[in-house]
Amino acid sequence: EKLVVTLPDGNTKEGTKLVTTPKDVATMISKSLAKNVMVAKVDGEDWDVFRPLEDDCKLQLFTFDSAEGKYT
């Protein structure tokens, strides 16, 4: 089943429920982001980058250069 991921800039990416992960979305955006992403927020909730997305959501991705990435 398809899901829609909304990024902070308003762009969207499509994925598959319970299959697509934040890491997969990062890969869709850029290889360097995928390599450097440390943690995600899904609808404001901390989310492991390898945990599959469950439904349509708003997604934020953080690298080590961000406070959220350093915190993890």
Side-chain angles (χ1 to χ4, degrees):
E1 194 174 340
K2 296 292 178 196
L3 61 81
V4 176
V5 178
T6 304
L7 303 171
D9 64 2
N11 283 328
T12 59
K13 301 289 182 190
E14 286 191 0
T16 304
K17 288 183 183 181
L18 303 176
V19 174
T20 302
T21 66
K23 184 85 163 179
D24 295 330
V25 176
T27 302
M28 292 177 206
I29 296 168
S30 83
K31 288 181 184 176
S32 64
L33 177 60
K35 194 167 102 174
N36 294 307
V37 68
M38 298 289 293
V39 69
K41 282 192 186 241
V42 174
D43 293 331
E45 177 186 338
D46 289 340
W47 200 274
D48 186 280
V49 295
F50 296 105
R51 178 179 167 191
L53 299 168
E54 298 167 0
D55 215 334
D56 291 352
C57 62
K58 291 184 180 179
L59 176 68
Q60 294 173 279
L61 299 167
F62 301 98
T63 64
F64 187 75
D65 293 336
S66 67
E68 289 85 352
K70 284 186 176 90
Y71 180 73
T72 58

PDB file of all heavy atoms in Angstrom, residues 39-57:
ATOM      1  N   VAL A  39      19.359  10.396  12.124  1.00  0.00           N
ATOM      2  CA  VAL A  39      18.078  10.188  12.800  1.00  0.00           C
ATOM      3  C   VAL A  39      17.001  10.928  12.026  1.00  0.00           C
ATOM      4  O   VAL A  39      17.300  11.824  11.237  1.00  0.00           O
ATOM      5  CB  VAL A  39      18.146  10.682  14.279  1.00  0.00           C
ATOM      6  CG1 VAL A  39      18.259  12.188  14.360  1.00  0.00           C
ATOM      7  CG2 VAL A  39      17.000  10.160  15.116  1.00  0.00           C
ATOM      8  N   ALA A  40      15.779  10.523  12.245  1.00  0.00           N
ATOM      9  CA  ALA A  40      14.645  11.157  11.577  1.00  0.00           C
ATOM     10  C   ALA A  40      13.594  11.545  12.608  1.00  0.00           C
ATOM     11  O   ALA A  40      13.590  11.039  13.732  1.00  0.00           O
ATOM     12  CB  ALA A  40      14.039  10.188  10.562  1.00  0.00           C
ATOM     13  N   LYS A  41      12.718  12.431  12.192  1.00  0.00           N
ATOM     14  CA  LYS A  41      11.502  12.724  12.952  1.00  0.00           C
ATOM     15  C   LYS A  41      10.340  12.480  12.011  1.00  0.00           C
ATOM     16  O   LYS A  41      10.334  12.967  10.876  1.00  0.00           O
ATOM     17  CB  LYS A  41      11.480  14.168  13.455  1.00  0.00           C
ATOM     18  CG  LYS A  41      12.344  14.368  14.672  1.00  0.00           C
ATOM     19  CD  LYS A  41      12.098  15.714  15.321  1.00  0.00           C
ATOM     20  CE  LYS A  41      13.096  15.908  16.439  1.00  0.00           C
ATOM     21  NZ  LYS A  41      12.474  16.063  17.718  1.00  0.00           N
ATOM     22  N   VAL A  42       9.384  11.697  12.480  1.00  0.00           N
ATOM     23  CA  VAL A  42       8.183  11.395  11.719  1.00  0.00           C
ATOM     24  C   VAL A  42       7.020  12.002  12.485  1.00  0.00           C
ATOM     25  O   VAL A  42       6.769  11.630  13.636  1.00  0.00           O
ATOM     26  CB  VAL A  42       8.001   9.874  11.545  1.00  0.00           C
ATOM     27  CG1 VAL A  42       6.671   9.570  10.879  1.00  0.00           C
ATOM     28  CG2 VAL A  42       9.153   9.294  10.735  1.00  0.00           C
ATOM     29  N   ASP A  43       6.369  12.976  11.868  1.00  0.00           N
ATOM     30  CA  ASP A  43       5.289  13.715  12.532  1.00  0.00           C
ATOM     31  C   ASP A  43       5.725  14.210  13.905  1.00  0.00           C
ATOM     32  O   ASP A  43       4.982  14.152  14.879  1.00  0.00           O
ATOM     33  CB  ASP A  43       4.021  12.858  12.626  1.00  0.00           C
ATOM     34  CG  ASP A  43       3.422  12.575  11.252  1.00  0.00           C
ATOM     35  OD1 ASP A  43       3.590  13.403  10.335  1.00  0.00           O
ATOM     36  OD2 ASP A  43       2.792  11.519  11.086  1.00  0.00           O
ATOM     37  N   GLY A  44       6.994  14.675  13.989  1.00  0.00           N
ATOM     38  CA  GLY A  44       7.518  15.246  15.224  1.00  0.00           C
ATOM     39  C   GLY A  44       8.069  14.243  16.225  1.00  0.00           C
ATOM     40  O   GLY A  44       8.618  14.623  17.253  1.00  0.00           O
ATOM     41  N   GLU A  45       7.968  12.950  15.935  1.00  0.00           N
ATOM     42  CA  GLU A  45       8.423  11.895  16.844  1.00  0.00           C
ATOM     43  C   GLU A  45       9.781  11.363  16.379  1.00  0.00           C
ATOM     44  O   GLU A  45       9.967  11.090  15.190  1.00  0.00           O
ATOM     45  CB  GLU A  45       7.387  10.766  16.835  1.00  0.00           C
ATOM     46  CG  GLU A  45       7.743   9.568  17.674  1.00  0.00           C
ATOM     47  CD  GLU A  45       6.739   8.423  17.508  1.00  0.00           C
ATOM     48  OE1 GLU A  45       5.586   8.660  17.101  1.00  0.00           O
ATOM     49  OE2 GLU A  45       7.137   7.277  17.771  1.00  0.00           O
ATOM     50  N   ASP A  46      10.721  11.205  17.318  1.00  0.00           N
ATOM     51  CA  ASP A  46      12.015  10.607  16.965  1.00  0.00           C
ATOM     52  C   ASP A  46      11.791   9.242  16.343  1.00  0.00           C
ATOM     53  O   ASP A  46      10.972   8.458  16.829  1.00  0.00           O
ATOM     54  CB  ASP A  46      12.904  10.475  18.213  1.00  0.00           C
ATOM     55  CG  ASP A  46      13.402  11.819  18.712  1.00  0.00           C
ATOM     56  OD1 ASP A  46      13.402  12.797  17.941  1.00  0.00           O
ATOM     57  OD2 ASP A  46      13.805  11.887  19.891  1.00  0.00           O
ATOM     58  N   TRP A  47      12.556   8.962  15.279  1.00  0.00           N
ATOM     59  CA  TRP A  47      12.298   7.744  14.497  1.00  0.00           C
ATOM     60  C   TRP A  47      13.628   7.218  13.984  1.00  0.00           C
ATOM     61  O   TRP A  47      14.398   7.956  13.367  1.00  0.00           O
ATOM     62  CB  TRP A  47      11.405   8.117  13.320  1.00  0.00           C
ATOM     63  CG  TRP A  47      10.657   7.001  12.681  1.00  0.00           C
ATOM     64  CD1 TRP A  47      11.106   6.173  11.687  1.00  0.00           C
ATOM     65  CD2 TRP A  47       9.310   6.606  12.948  1.00  0.00           C
ATOM     66  NE1 TRP A  47      10.123   5.297  11.320  1.00  0.00           N
ATOM     67  CE2 TRP A  47       9.006   5.541  12.087  1.00  0.00           C
ATOM     68  CE3 TRP A  47       8.334   7.048  13.842  1.00  0.00           C
ATOM     69  CZ2 TRP A  47       7.762   4.916  12.086  1.00  0.00           C
ATOM     70  CZ3 TRP A  47       7.111   6.423  13.835  1.00  0.00           C
ATOM     71  CH2 TRP A  47       6.819   5.370  12.973  1.00  0.00           C
ATOM     72  N   ASP A  48      13.915   5.964  14.194  1.00  0.00           N
ATOM     73  CA  ASP A  48      15.124   5.342  13.662  1.00  0.00           C
ATOM     74  C   ASP A  48      15.069   5.360  12.139  1.00  0.00           C
ATOM     75  O   ASP A  48      14.013   5.096  11.553  1.00  0.00           O
ATOM     76  CB  ASP A  48      15.226   3.903  14.173  1.00  0.00           C
ATOM     77  CG  ASP A  48      16.531   3.248  13.767  1.00  0.00           C
ATOM     78  OD1 ASP A  48      16.633   2.803  12.598  1.00  0.00           O
ATOM     79  OD2 ASP A  48      17.445   3.195  14.598  1.00  0.00           O
ATOM     80  N   VAL A  49      16.204   5.647  11.503  1.00  0.00           N
ATOM     81  CA  VAL A  49      16.210   5.764  10.039  1.00  0.00           C
ATOM     82  C   VAL A  49      15.959   4.439   9.324  1.00  0.00           C
ATOM     83  O   VAL A  49      15.654   4.423   8.136  1.00  0.00           O
ATOM     84  CB  VAL A  49      17.510   6.410   9.501  1.00  0.00           C
ATOM     85  CG1 VAL A  49      17.618   7.846   9.963  1.00  0.00           C
ATOM     86  CG2 VAL A  49      18.736   5.624   9.869  1.00  0.00           C
ATOM     87  N   PHE A  50      16.081   3.324  10.051  1.00  0.00           N
ATOM     88  CA  PHE A  50      15.840   2.012   9.434  1.00  0.00           C
ATOM     89  C   PHE A  50      14.455   1.454   9.777  1.00  0.00           C
ATOM     90  O   PHE A  50      14.103   0.372   9.332  1.00  0.00           O
ATOM     91  CB  PHE A  50      16.920   1.013   9.869  1.00  0.00           C
ATOM     92  CG  PHE A  50      18.291   1.406   9.390  1.00  0.00           C
ATOM     93  CD1 PHE A  50      19.215   1.936  10.271  1.00  0.00           C
ATOM     94  CD2 PHE A  50      18.647   1.274   8.060  1.00  0.00           C
ATOM     95  CE1 PHE A  50      20.482   2.318   9.830  1.00  0.00           C
ATOM     96  CE2 PHE A  50      19.906   1.651   7.603  1.00  0.00           C
ATOM     97  CZ  PHE A  50      20.819   2.178   8.501  1.00  0.00           C
ATOM     98  N   ARG A  51      13.678   2.196  10.562  1.00  0.00           N
ATOM     99  CA  ARG A  51      12.326   1.747  10.937  1.00  0.00           C
ATOM    100  C   ARG A  51      11.354   2.109   9.821  1.00  0.00           C
ATOM    101  O   ARG A  51      11.255   3.268   9.423  1.00  0.00           O
ATOM    102  CB  ARG A  51      11.915   2.429  12.243  1.00  0.00           C
ATOM    103  CG  ARG A  51      10.524   2.080  12.707  1.00  0.00           C
ATOM    104  CD  ARG A  51      10.229   2.786  14.027  1.00  0.00           C
ATOM    105  NE  ARG A  51       8.825   2.711  14.347  1.00  0.00           N
ATOM    106  CZ  ARG A  51       8.254   3.411  15.308  1.00  0.00           C
ATOM    107  NH1 ARG A  51       8.974   4.246  16.046  1.00  0.00           N
ATOM    108  NH2 ARG A  51       6.968   3.297  15.541  1.00  0.00           N
ATOM    109  N   PRO A  52      10.606   1.138   9.320  1.00  0.00           N
ATOM    110  CA  PRO A  52       9.671   1.424   8.227  1.00  0.00           C
ATOM    111  C   PRO A  52       8.604   2.454   8.624  1.00  0.00           C
ATOM    112  O   PRO A  52       8.168   2.502   9.775  1.00  0.00           O
ATOM    113  CB  PRO A  52       9.034   0.066   7.939  1.00  0.00           C
ATOM    114  CG  PRO A  52      10.038  -0.921   8.408  1.00  0.00           C
ATOM    115  CD  PRO A  52      10.663  -0.293   9.627  1.00  0.00           C
ATOM    116  N   LEU A  53       8.231   3.258   7.652  1.00  0.00           N
ATOM    117  CA  LEU A  53       7.160   4.235   7.852  1.00  0.00           C
ATOM    118  C   LEU A  53       5.821   3.513   7.810  1.00  0.00           C
ATOM    119  O   LEU A  53       5.624   2.579   7.030  1.00  0.00           O
ATOM    120  CB  LEU A  53       7.239   5.307   6.764  1.00  0.00           C
ATOM    121  CG  LEU A  53       8.555   6.095   6.752  1.00  0.00           C
ATOM    122  CD1 LEU A  53       8.672   6.925   5.486  1.00  0.00           C
ATOM    123  CD2 LEU A  53       8.672   6.969   7.991  1.00  0.00           C
ATOM    124  N   GLU A  54       4.897   3.961   8.658  1.00  0.00           N
ATOM    125  CA  GLU A  54       3.638   3.242   8.808  1.00  0.00           C
ATOM    126  C   GLU A  54       2.474   3.847   8.045  1.00  0.00           C
ATOM    127  O   GLU A  54       1.500   3.160   7.748  1.00  0.00           O
ATOM    128  CB  GLU A  54       3.294   3.151  10.305  1.00  0.00           C
ATOM    129  CG  GLU A  54       4.361   2.372  11.068  1.00  0.00           C
ATOM    130  CD  GLU A  54       4.252   2.518  12.575  1.00  0.00           C
ATOM    131  OE1 GLU A  54       3.343   3.228  13.062  1.00  0.00           O
ATOM    132  OE2 GLU A  54       5.078   1.909  13.273  1.00  0.00           O
ATOM    133  N   ASP A  55       2.564   5.153   7.746  1.00  0.00           N
ATOM    134  CA  ASP A  55       1.444   5.828   7.091  1.00  0.00           C
ATOM    135  C   ASP A  55       1.938   7.122   6.461  1.00  0.00           C
ATOM    136  O   ASP A  55       3.103   7.476   6.608  1.00  0.00           O
ATOM    137  CB  ASP A  55       0.356   6.139   8.132  1.00  0.00           C
ATOM    138  CG  ASP A  55      -1.046   6.015   7.548  1.00  0.00           C
ATOM    139  OD1 ASP A  55      -1.206   6.173   6.321  1.00  0.00           O
ATOM    140  OD2 ASP A  55      -1.991   5.764   8.323  1.00  0.00           O
ATOM    141  N   ASP A  56       1.044   7.851   5.785  1.00  0.00           N
ATOM    142  CA  ASP A  56       1.404   9.173   5.275  1.00  0.00           C
ATOM    143  C   ASP A  56       1.957   9.986   6.445  1.00  0.00           C
ATOM    144  O   ASP A  56       1.443   9.880   7.577  1.00  0.00           O
ATOM    145  CB  ASP A  56       0.167   9.889   4.721  1.00  0.00           C
ATOM    146  CG  ASP A  56      -0.368   9.247   3.441  1.00  0.00           C
ATOM    147  OD1 ASP A  56       0.297   8.340   2.903  1.00  0.00           O
ATOM    148  OD2 ASP A  56      -1.453   9.648   3.007  1.00  0.00           O
ATOM    149  N   CYS A  57       3.001  10.767   6.198  1.00  0.00           N
ATOM    150  CA  CYS A  57       3.627  11.480   7.314  1.00  0.00           C
ATOM    151  C   CYS A  57       4.414  12.686   6.837  1.00  0.00           C
ATOM    152  O   CYS A  57       4.661  12.857   5.650  1.00  0.00           O
ATOM    153  CB  CYS A  57       4.544  10.540   8.082  1.00  0.00           C
ATOM    154  SG  CYS A  57       5.902   9.894   7.078  1.00  0.00           S
TER     155      CYS A  57
END
